[in-house]
Amino acid sequence: MQRVVMLRKMSLGAATQNAITLHYTPQTEKTHLSSFTFLMDTQASSFSSFQSYLRALVHTPGRLARRAGSVSTPYEELSRVRARSGSDMQRSLRWFDLVGLGIGGMLGAGVFVTTGKASRLHAGPAIVISYAIAGFCALLSAFCYTEFAVHMPLAGGAFSYLRVTFGEFAAFLTGANLIMEYVMSNAAVARSFTSYLGAAIGISTAKWRFTVPGLPKGFDEIDVVACTVVLIITLIICYSTKQSSVVNMILTALHILFIGFVIFMGFWRGDWNNFTHPANPDNPSGFFPHGPSGVFNGAAAVYLSYIGYDAVSTMAEEVRDPVKDIPVGVSGSVIIVTILYCLMAASMSKLLPYDMIDVEAPFSAAFSGRSDGWEWVSRVIGVGASFGILTSLLVAMLGQARYMCVIGRSSVVPAWFARVHHKTSTPVNASAFLGIFTAAIALFTDLSVLLNLVSIGTLFVFYMVANAVIYRRYVVVGTTKPWSTLSFLCLLSLTSIIFTLLWHFAPPGKPKAFVLGTCVVIAISILQIFRCMVPQARKPDFWGVPFMPWLPSISIFLNIFLMGSLGGPSYVRFGFFSALAVLVYVLYSVHASFDAEVDGSFGQNNGEILKESAESEHPSHKV
């Protein structure tokens, strides 16, 4: 004879208000009740006391096995998970807002620095081609982001895309690296604002900062201006997303005017002979002084100037018409910035021979110290760069707050970060916390220290998103087997890594060219075989990456190639923060995520969750 035992909500949270009805036999009732008691105890007390936390740590392997690879669904992300923020973000942005945010995020001060180094050391006058190649690479990544953003108009950006594709752990690892890179790079940008502003108005940077004796070198110069700028921008993005967009549009318009002035001055005052003749006849001449390899190395050097458009995808939850506005906003901003960058590079190459270009400040140095009355132009360039710094900082801080908000929704960090204010419709908690954190780092940390900690995380996320687009097109969980797609992605990545290593470390000559060509042929063959043998399992309803899987595969290759161009400190930073992220996930996130699952905050019905949770941690307890 069976008896029905009704378990009302005790400590299982608001999602289990309804009674959970389960059927027991007299022989197994005691076992079942002890299983439920265990589950309620672990859920209710994972972080309530030290002993409870130790008990949770004992079950870490089982919880890792259950949660690390757990894949969410777009429906869950758009409904139940998003509801954890309380209020909704207001859909107030249109395509022109997204274009403005994309331009503002990319068109920062980076172009004023990277152009000189890439032109003098790598590409020469062909830096124009390098910018076009880097822009094409950015556009491919933008296509991948756009497909996800249209299908899942959420604030989580790459974190949400990877969570519905590769699971919780992969999303947390990339999201944590991205958040840390945002914070470090924003602090660096804020510190550089002080330098550019001082140069623009003729006041030495040393007068804006003061040294505190006793602090370690690199952390002893206090920059109040940088800290103040970050806090003011934090207040703006907390107040209103639409108003933040308006401020960005104004600053971006002013910045574009200054860039137009720089382009005009370069073409007006420059000489076409500088495109082919170096100042020193002993140096290589011509438009391609260092050959095709110099052009591609230059593209890798300037690609960091494009980083910033990914922040636009985090605004998808606040876009009025995602299907129409997101593709125009993301792709349009990349195309416009590519055109501006190519024109700036051409004007600089016309202004000076490539072997006379200043590596640190190419545009300002071209006019400073001149005796013909044009030294004032360097001041104007400093003002324009200052506006660019403010726009890129504003957009990046908008993006980092929305990443943190959605990570909070997934329960791998405290849900406090997920709260959206009911009046401002912005993630105030995440914005304020990260803003204060960024301001504190910008206040103490030297720019050279910060620059060694950024650049690889974003490229890694671009690489992961390109993989995720292909995986979701060809794999449907429970319907198609993933092994053929995973094998293709692994082989493509391996071939790209081998090509990159050979490109950078093999001695020049015909053998190197032959091996590189062989790698390209192998990669194309692998791609064509996969395309012919594995059919697409799903096609996007609204907007999708064209020429699948060719364009995402090229994006994978290019991102690996560009990552191979980064220096050792970038990989040290990536390894350190990745290890730190894994430690946080094992010690906190997996337990908080498991608690949320048992609490019913995620998609399964409560009875099924309790059953599967008991079986995963206590195989002997069968519910």
Side-chain angles (χ1 to χ4, degrees), residues 14 72 77 84 155 247 258 271 303-304 344 348-349 369 376 387 403 416 446 469 485 496 536 567 611:
S72 181
E77 295 291 319
R84 292 172 64 85
V247 172
F258 280 102
D271 185 353
Y303 184 73
L304 298 180
M344 288 184 70
M348 185 192 66
S349 298
W376 60 271
F387 281 117
Y403 270 118
W416 180 82
D446 187 70
V469 166
T485 303
S496 302
Q536 292 189 41
K611 174 183 176 180

Side-chain angles (χ1 to χ4, degrees), residues 267-492:
F267 278 100
W268 181 32
R269 303 290 300 175
D271 185 353
W272 289 108
N273 289 326
N274 291 332
F275 274 96
T276 54
H277 296 83
N280 186 350
D282 295 332
N283 291 328
S285 61
F287 187 71
F288 299 93
H290 300 293
S293 62
V295 175
F296 284 102
N297 289 334
V302 303
Y303 184 73
L304 298 180
S305 300
Y306 286 91
I307 290 177
Y309 67 83
D310 59 303
V312 179
S313 69
T314 66
M315 313 302 296
E317 197 168 318
E318 297 158 272
V319 176
R320 190 173 300 175
D321 188 351
V323 175
K324 294 181 180 179
D325 293 338
I326 292 177
V328 176
V330 177
S331 302
S333 61
V334 173
I335 293 172
I336 292 173
V337 168
T338 300
I339 293 172
L340 291 174
Y341 280 168
C342 289
L343 290 174
M344 288 184 70
S347 70
M348 185 192 66
S349 298
K350 190 172 186 286
L351 194 63
L352 286 173
Y354 79 90
D355 55 349
M356 288 183 63
I357 293 174
D358 187 276
V359 174
E360 299 297 330
F363 294 96
S364 297
F367 290 96
S368 61
R370 293 175 67 123
S371 59
D372 54 1
W374 291 98
E375 66 275 2
W376 60 271
V377 177
S378 63
R379 299 279 184 90
V380 176
I381 293 172
V383 174
S386 300
F387 281 117
I389 289 172
L390 291 178
T391 58
S392 61
L393 189 58
L394 175 65
V395 175
M397 291 183 66
L398 281 168
Q400 73 178 14
R402 278 142 187 82
Y403 270 118
M404 182 61 86
C405 173
V406 174
I407 293 174
R409 290 176 183 174
S410 68
S411 297
V412 291
V413 297
W416 180 82
F417 291 109
R419 304 305 299 174
V420 172
H421 197 275
H422 65 282
K423 290 184 178 180
T424 64
S425 298
T426 60
V428 172
N429 293 351
S431 301
F433 174 81
L434 291 177
I436 294 172
F437 188 27
T438 303
I441 295 176
L443 181 65
F444 291 97
T445 312
D446 187 70
L447 184 62
S448 60
V449 176
L450 291 169
L451 290 178
N452 286 330
L453 299 176
V454 300
S455 71
I456 192 173
T458 307
L459 287 174
F460 178 72
V461 173
F462 292 168
Y463 162 78
M464 291 293 292
V465 171
N467 279 275
V469 166
I470 295 176
Y471 187 87
R472 280 191 62 79
R473 282 284 196 99
Y474 287 88
V475 177
V476 175
V477 177
T479 303
T480 57
K481 294 182 178 181
W483 303 115
S484 56
T485 303
L486 289 174
S487 299
F488 162 70
L489 293 175
C490 290
L491 287 173
L492 179 63

Side-chain angles (χ1 to χ4, degrees), residues 47 53 57 60-70 159 163 166-173 176 407 410-413 577-594:
F47 303 101
Y53 179 63
L57 289 180
T60 299
R63 295 184 177 190
L64 283 172
R66 180 175 183 83
R67 293 302 310 164
S70 61
F159 175 83
R163 190 163 180 256
F166 296 128
E168 181 177 276
F169 176 72
F172 178 80
L173 182 63
I407 293 174
S410 68
S411 297
V412 291
V413 297
F577 284 126
S578 295
L580 183 62
V582 171
L583 187 64
V584 171
Y585 185 80
V586 171
L587 296 180
Y588 172 82
S589 301
V590 71
H591 305 292
S593 174
F594 178 83

Side-chain angles (χ1 to χ4, degrees), residues 552-573:
S553 299
I554 297 174
S555 180
I556 290 171
F557 168 79
L558 290 175
N559 280 298
I560 289 177
F561 180 78
L562 294 172
M563 281 192 285
S565 302
L566 300 176
S570 295
Y571 287 93
V572 173
R573 185 224 52 99

